[in-house]
Amino acid sequence: TYEESGADIARGWPDPDPNVEEFLDTFATFVPQGSKVLDAGTGTGRVLRRLLKRGFAAVGIDYAPEMLQLARAWQGEIVEGRLHEMDLRDLQFDPDSFPAIWDNASFHHVEKAQADRTLQGYHRTLQSGGVLFLRVKEGEGEALVGEEGEQRHYAFYQTEELRALLERNGFEILEIDAKTERDVPGRQQKWVYAFARKKATRPGTGGDLGRSGDEVEQAELLNVGPDPFKQWRKLDGSIDRHARARDL
């Protein structure tokens, strides 16, 4: 599991990761500096640190407390007060809380049966016109990967499958493609990535699916909206621990 092998996994990745830095560069063209960003599946907090250093008001969530402990130990004061235990399939934020969500290699740990539910939670949590970044492993179907006792669930996606999934859950595609990158330990891995925007909605609706409107102005993304932790509650641990997802 990630909690048991998280440190070993994370040590195998370059920091900063040039592949992630490229996506962060693109992310910054869609999301104004200073905007609140939710790092969904923050893991050891490496990308959370990068988002903060780039001037975003970022917070990170992860289902596994062990990973959050690593994030606090490895990233230090910069992430203090910005890490919260939460399942990305059941976000506990007010509607319209964030202008952007960053999900790097976390969503593909969610079972496909719960993919729509997860994206609907992202949609509700994003402000009108908010931006979502997703990066998942390319392939078909689902599988448990790894040695016995350290297996992780993966849901693999083709580009058009991910496009259809995002569009039916109220997102418009800004950019989507597949890319082969160096994986750990040095093998080539094909990824599918997408930048998508929540279709503009009437403020305060929480982004009802199917409710479209005019394109939001860039300035709207700077509106910090309600306190995202106003109604946050810690999960009681009853949710299936099979789909713990984080960004390593």
Side-chain angles (χ1 to χ4, degrees):
T1 63
Y2 263 113
E3 307 88 85
E4 296 166 346
S5 59
D8 292 335
I9 295 169
R11 288 191 183 99
W13 290 93
D15 187 15
D17 184 338
N19 296 312
V20 172
E21 290 299 305
E22 181 179 340
F23 290 123
L24 283 170
D25 288 341
T26 304
F27 187 76
T29 68
F30 294 126
V31 184
Q33 190 177 46
S35 298
K36 293 191 303 183
V37 177
L38 174 62
D39 182 12
T42 192
T44 59
R46 295 188 316 150
V47 176
L48 177 61
R49 186 188 75 241
R50 303 300 299 167
L51 287 165
L52 291 167
K53 287 189 173 182
R54 284 174 175 254
F56 294 107
V59 295
I61 63 168
D62 203 282
Y63 191 83
E66 298 90 344
M67 299 302 291
L68 296 175
Q69 290 173 5
L70 283 177
R72 293 185 181 98
W74 289 13
Q75 310 307 337
E77 292 183 1
I78 193 171
V79 300
E80 187 67 31
R82 296 182 176 275
L83 294 167
H84 302 271
E85 185 179 342
M86 192 181 297
D87 192 314
L88 58 81
R89 298 167 299 178
D90 188 23
L91 297 182
Q92 300 299 308
F93 299 107
D94 288 337
D96 310 319
S97 289
F98 289 92
I101 294 176
W102 171 276
D103 181 325
N104 178 49
S106 296
F107 182 72
H108 62 195
H109 293 299
V110 174
E111 294 178 353
K112 288 192 176 183
Q114 299 189 59
D116 287 288
R117 166 191 170 182
T118 302
L119 287 181
Q120 288 162 17
Y122 284 2
H123 188 276
R124 179 188 62 82
T125 301
L126 281 168
Q127 295 174 5
S128 179
V131 172
L132 170 65
F133 170 70
L134 284 182
R135 179 169 170 256
V136 298
K137 287 191 175 183
E138 190 267 351
E140 297 181 353
E142 301 178 66
L144 289 174
V145 178
E147 300 295 326
E148 185 175 354
E150 295 186 355
Q151 291 182 323
R152 289 166 281 158
H153 173 269
Y154 283 92
F156 302 100
Y157 289 90
Q158 299 288 339
T159 303
E160 292 309 308
E161 180 184 10
L162 187 62
R163 180 195 299 273
L165 181 63
L166 286 163
E167 289 180 341
R168 76 169 177 253
N169 283 290
F171 291 93
E172 57 181 338
I173 303 299
L174 299 172
E175 182 178 330
I176 189 167
D177 206 347
K179 182 181 179 182
T180 300
E181 303 171 7
R182 174 187 169 276
D183 201 353
V184 177
R187 61 181 178 267
Q188 296 296 304
Q189 172 66 50
K190 194 168 186 179
W191 297 79
V192 177
Y193 71 90
F195 291 90
R197 190 186 301 280
K198 173 180 174 177
K199 292 180 180 179
T201 58
R202 187 179 65 200
T205 64
D208 298 337
L209 296 180
R211 184 189 294 275
S212 61
D214 297 330
E215 283 292 320
V216 295
E217 298 293 335
Q218 185 81 341
E220 183 179 347
L221 291 178
L222 292 171
N223 175 22
V224 296
D227 177 0
F229 294 106
K230 181 180 178 182
Q231 296 182 356
W232 178 82
R233 61 176 175 82
K234 187 174 181 179
L235 298 181
D236 62 7
S238 62
I239 294 178
D240 178 15
R241 297 177 68 86
H242 185 55
R244 296 165 183 148
R246 70 271 309 121
D247 173 4
L248 289 170

